[in-house]
């Protein structure tokens, strides 16, 4: 009898990732800890969403984890090879297998360049294709994202917002990446266009076997695309869970508050969680202990000295789940048999 095969290694493995920025001020330079020893894995073919309030470190984490921004410490291994601290040429060779789609592509397109040039540029620089091959590849990319051959000779300003985002996705796919990093890919679009782009991303993921690292503040987008969700607060991971479990009954009070902030289309079956008061603290002067404790409704209801003294450690809390909290919500009981 043959032994069972070992599970496939993650496509992206991040361990102890830190990012510090020097911030000049009137009293001298200060240090901003944007990421504090973050650990996570991204499986092959998986969509992992990074969520949290503005300034929580979502975009910084995605950029450091993929070598787009130098990290201050830690490790990020893509397909088994280290991205941090490696020579620039080696990192560039690995990053060609990572595509990036940003919130509003207008700023990333040269307004004087037509679509044929926009799509051919990465193919010419890193793809090693001849002009005719580049043209055929550009046409195939346009077809993959729902655009036609007639769009090949237009300029970016001649496209609608949704079409520009489709073009940005086509450019990200040019070098046949294994991973797409999606940084708020629909937030600049109308609601009806958002749905089209989300459906396109889901279809491309299935067709090309892509892994997705999704940064989003719109939890409806996360619920539509993500397999798992990682919740960030002040540069720290506080909860990681499968999307269905997290949206069903998250134990972390910060995650509960994020879900409670969603617009309610109908009357909820249970009383909503307490909304958060105030703004996140300054990352230049994070509070001691748990960074969330000054705003935590559970600590306010049942004070616990550990919250203000001991930083909680992200630890396994169930199948494919991890949690960093001294006062988690008890797990929900299983549904009664019908």
């Amino acid at each position: 009898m043959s032994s069972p095969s070992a599970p496939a290694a993650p496509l992206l493995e991040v361990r102890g990732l830190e990012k510090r920025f020097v911030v000049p001020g009137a009293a001298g330079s200060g240090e901003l800890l944007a990421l504090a020893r973050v650990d996570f894995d991204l499986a092959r073919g998986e969509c992992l969403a990074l969520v949290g309030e503005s300034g929580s470190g979502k975009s910084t984490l995605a950029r450091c984890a993929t070598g787009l921004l130098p990290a201050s410490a830690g490790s990020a291994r893509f397909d088994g090879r280290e991205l941090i601290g490696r020579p620039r040429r080696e990192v560039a060779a690995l990053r060609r297998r990572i595509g990036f789609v940003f919130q509003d592509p207008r700023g990333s397109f040269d307004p004087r360049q037509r679509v044929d040039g926009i799509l051919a540029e990465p193919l010419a620089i890193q793809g090693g294709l001849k002009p005719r091959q580049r043209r055929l590849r550009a046409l195939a990319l346009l077809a993959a994202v729902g655009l036609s051959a007639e769009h090949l000779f237009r300029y970016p300003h001649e496209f609608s917002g949704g079409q520009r985002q489709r073009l940005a996705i086509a450019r990200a796919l040019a070098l046949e990446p294994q991973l797409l990093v999606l940084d708020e890919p629909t937030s600049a679009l109308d609601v009806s266009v958002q749905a089209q782009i989300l459906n396109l991303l889901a279809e491309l993921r299935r067709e090309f076997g892509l892994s997705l690292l999704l940064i989003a503040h719109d939890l409806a987008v996360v619920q539509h695309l993500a397999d798992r969700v990682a919740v960030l607060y002040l540069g720290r991971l506080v909860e990681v869970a499968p999307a269905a479990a997290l949206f069903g009954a998250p134990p972390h009070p910060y995650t509960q508050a994020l879900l409670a902030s969603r617009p309610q289309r109908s009357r909820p079956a249970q009383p909503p969680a307490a909304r958060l008061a105030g703004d996140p603290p300054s990352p230049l002067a994070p509070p001691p202990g748990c960074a969330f404790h000054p705003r935590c409704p559970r600590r306010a209801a049942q004070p616990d000295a550990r919250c203000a003294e001991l930083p909680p450690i992200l630890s396994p809390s169930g199948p494919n789940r991890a949690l960093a909290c001294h006062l988690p919500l008890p797990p929900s009981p299983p549904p009664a048999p019908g």
Side-chain angles (χ1 to χ4, degrees):
M1 180 182 294
S2 60
S3 59
S5 58
L11 179 63
L12 182 63
E13 300 173 85
V14 173
R15 296 290 181 270
L17 197 65
E18 290 193 0
K19 180 60 180 177
R20 300 174 184 270
F21 294 99
V22 175
V23 181
S29 296
E31 189 175 64
L32 187 155
L33 181 60
L35 297 175
R37 299 194 61 80
V38 174
D39 298 346
F40 73 88
D41 291 338
L42 175 65
R44 299 169 192 272
E46 179 185 34
C47 177
L48 174 67
L50 304 177
V51 303
E53 293 169 286
S54 297
S56 61
K58 303 184 297 295
S59 295
T60 301
L61 174 55
R63 285 163 168 77
C64 288
T66 54
L68 199 61
L69 183 68
S72 303
S75 168
R77 298 178 67 83
F78 178 76
D79 202 15
R81 298 176 63 185
E82 184 62 59
L83 288 169
I84 295 175
R86 307 298 298 172
R88 182 178 297 181
R89 179 173 295 182
E90 290 184 25
V91 174
L94 285 173
R95 269 217 324 267
R96 71 186 298 271
R97 294 157 60 189
I98 305 173
F100 295 86
V101 179
F102 300 107
Q103 178 176 350
D104 187 351
R106 285 179 296 182
S108 63
F109 290 143
D110 183 343
R112 299 165 298 180
Q113 196 173 36
R114 298 184 312 188
V115 169
D116 57 340
I118 289 171
L119 296 180
E121 188 172 34
L123 297 171
I125 295 173
Q126 299 195 58
L129 299 182
K130 296 179 180 180
R132 184 176 181 277
Q133 293 173 313
R134 295 200 295 267
R135 176 66 58 84
L136 292 174
R137 176 67 177 152
L139 290 170
L141 289 167
L142 289 178
V145 299
L147 297 175
S148 64
E150 68 180 31
H151 294 111
L152 195 62
F153 303 107
R154 295 186 183 179
Y155 292 91
H157 71 270
E158 297 180 89
F159 289 84
S160 66
Q163 288 175 324
R164 275 194 298 268
Q165 197 61 296
R166 289 175 184 269
L167 179 58
I169 294 169
R171 182 175 60 180
L173 294 173
L175 297 176
E176 300 180 346
Q178 293 171 273
L179 169 63
L180 275 189
V181 178
L182 308 168
D183 195 345
E184 302 280 8
T186 62
S187 62
L189 305 175
D190 294 338
V191 174
S192 60
V193 180
Q194 286 183 11
Q196 296 172 18
I197 296 300
L198 291 175
N199 290 335
L200 172 64
L201 289 169
E203 181 182 338
L204 292 172
R205 177 188 171 195
R206 289 191 298 268
E207 182 177 352
F208 297 112
L210 295 167
S211 299
L212 305 180
L213 185 58
L214 170 66
I215 302 161
H217 71 272
D218 187 338
L219 295 178
V221 170
V222 173
Q223 202 164 10
H224 185 90
L225 277 182
D227 300 306
R228 281 191 307 141
V229 183
V231 184
L232 277 160
Y233 184 80
L234 210 67
R236 296 153 176 82
L237 276 181
V238 299
E239 184 168 5
V240 182
L246 184 133
F247 280 96
H252 199 286
Y254 178 59
T255 309
Q256 297 167 29
L258 287 180
L259 296 182
S261 69
R262 292 182 297 172
Q264 296 291 335
R265 293 185 174 85
S266 60
R267 183 178 297 275
Q270 299 177 346
R275 301 285 178 106
L276 292 182
D279 297 319
S282 169
L284 285 169
C290 173
F292 183 58
H293 87 262
R295 305 172 70 201
C296 180
R298 285 185 63 76
R299 180 180 180 268
Q302 51 181 96
D304 189 314
R306 293 175 301 169
C307 298
E309 296 173 1
L310 300 174
I313 298 172
L314 188 73
S315 306
S317 61
N320 209 20
R321 301 189 73 159
L323 185 69
C325 184
H326 295 308
L327 297 172
L329 188 73
S332 299

